[in-house]
Amino acid sequence: MGCRVSTLIDEESDPFLQDKQLNDAINHSLHLSKAHSKNGIKLLLLGAGESGKSTVLKQLKVLHKGGFTQQERMQYSHVIWCDVIQQMKILIIQARKLKIPLDCDKEGSELIPYKQCVLRSDALTQIDTGVAGGNEFLSDYILKYDEKSKAKRKLNSTGVVEFLGDGKEVTEEKDFVDAETMHGVLANSPVSRLRYSKRDIVEAIQKLWTQDSGIKKCFERSNEFQFESSAEYYFNNVSKFADPYYVCSDMDILKGRIKTTGITETNFTIKSFPFKVLDAGGQRSERKKWIHCFDDITAVLFVLAISEYDQMLFEDEKVNRMHESIILFDQLCNSKWFANTPFILFLNKIDLFEEKIKRNPLKKYFPDYTGKSDDVNEAIKFFETNFMKMNRTNEPVYIHRTCATDTNSMKFVLSAVADMIIQQNLKKSGLM
């Protein structure tokens, strides 16, 4: 037998080699897709101001990041103590604006000294910006009640979102008079320099909250002015927030609120998959920043406070908050930016909605609602149906009824949302 000289095979004409190369390329692509699916799940939290986005983020921290640090718990105790004073002050001033008689305004009333104590206590000076290294955290909070900052945020707010609308920027300069401004003369007067102890302030707030019928009537009409939804919780627990050594519970922090500015990014590991959650400030002046975080979004979680159907925007007190959220959802859901992105809609603050609808009919603000005035389920279905109709894309909208401060219910909802996002991501990667 003889030997033949071997010849080189032309790679371009070898079908087996081509098949192997194609198979290797597919496997490489699948590995990259799998790596991307495990490392690139990006959830964007959007919604109007005070809808509860940051509370959803806090729940994710509780459930998937070991909760809050000792420093955060101490910081929030100072923040909420400041809020307690500020919210009671707002009730006193707003009662006068709404012409609601206050017992503490009546001549000879035993409540007069308690009223004076609250009005003369400067909430911002109650914050220790050096506590537990929290200077930056608490200084940011101070901006929430700083008059110049509040007026500037209102003047900088636009009626049209730049990247969604026609690019026009509408600002209307007006006299932004609120509770703190009206109280400004009193706060800076010599008599206001009297020092009240925390115990004095606690007693004053408790007396006004439990004994002044006008304060309660004003609270029942708090939808007519800017007021914290957690104020009742603050008032009922005021004594513990006055304790300088008090460390906030999870519920305290979930109830507490600090305005979100800019975009925060938090990483979680959920069911072995890394999630990157972006939380963007919701007020109009913050929305121009949203476009910077639109790339490579796996899903959008839009949070809407359903209980705010009878309230007006902080930025523009002529605009209903729910109407604003509806327009914003419609723009985002049908935007080219999210053409292939699933939307998850949280109808949040269901607990407050259930209480409010009994005394303030939905039909008053949404005339096209034809259901029973006191039927909570029917009212919620009204919104769910209308939001589903807004979707003009090929991507589904998933709707959940939520109470962001309820950890047990949010655990179930967030788990379902995480499962859905993971499955959607795997399908798009060709792994399912």
Side-chain angles (χ1 to χ4, degrees), residues 17-33:
L17 188 58
Q18 287 179 349
D19 286 347
K20 184 179 183 304
Q21 290 173 337
L22 180 61
N23 187 62
D24 288 343
I26 291 171
N27 285 333
H28 181 65
S29 177
L30 285 174
H31 282 305
L32 288 177
S33 295

Side-chain angles (χ1 to χ4, degrees), residues 29 219 385 393 405:
S29 177
F219 173 75
T385 301
T393 70
T405 56

Side-chain angles (χ1 to χ4, degrees), residues 277-318:
V277 181
L278 302 173
D279 177 23
Q283 289 182 358
R284 286 179 176 177
S285 58
E286 295 294 316
R287 293 178 204 166
K288 60 187 72 174
K289 305 171 187 175
W290 288 5
I291 196 169
H292 301 298
C293 56
F294 279 5
D295 290 336
D296 300 320
I297 296 299
T298 309
V300 175
L301 203 168
F302 190 94
V303 185
L304 178 149
I306 193 172
S307 64
E308 295 180 351
Y309 68 93
D310 61 350
Q311 293 175 247
M312 300 299 164
L313 288 180
F314 166 85
E315 308 96 300
D316 185 347
E317 295 185 353
K318 295 178 182 177

Side-chain angles (χ1 to χ4, degrees), residues 1 10 16 46 70 86 92 114 127 130 178 196 201 262 291 319 335 338 341 344 349 353 356 358 370 406 408-409 423:
M1 294 181 65
D10 184 359
F16 297 103
L46 294 179
Q70 186 76 358
Q86 207 73 16
I92 295 170
Y114 301 119
I127 293 183
D178 58 17
Y196 290 96
I201 299 171
I291 196 169
V319 177
S335 168
F338 303 117
T341 307
I344 303 141
K349 302 187 182 182
F353 180 74
K356 186 180 285 188
K358 296 172 186 175
T370 57
D406 185 339
N408 289 330
S409 68
Q423 288 177 18

Side-chain angles (χ1 to χ4, degrees), residues 189-232:
S189 66
V191 72
S192 71
R193 293 169 191 161
L194 293 170
R195 298 291 295 178
Y196 290 96
S197 68
K198 285 191 172 183
R199 183 177 296 180
D200 293 333
I201 299 171
V202 166
E203 184 182 9
I205 290 172
Q206 287 176 331
K207 291 286 187 182
L208 293 171
W209 179 240
T210 58
Q211 296 182 20
D212 195 312
S213 60
I215 290 292
K216 281 296 177 67
K217 288 177 183 176
C218 186
F219 173 75
E220 290 171 1
R221 293 177 60 183
S222 58
N223 64 298
E224 298 178 38
F225 50 90
Q226 304 302 322
F227 194 68
E228 293 283 351
S229 60
S230 296
E232 183 175 12

Side-chain angles (χ1 to χ4, degrees), residues 324-348:
E324 176 89 350
S325 291
I326 288 170
I327 293 170
L328 186 58
F329 177 82
D330 186 24
Q331 291 176 325
L332 289 166
C333 180
N334 299 297
S335 168
K336 64 178 182 179
W337 292 98
F338 303 117
N340 300 305
T341 307
F343 260 70
I344 303 141
L345 174 62
F346 277 8
L347 297 181
N348 194 33

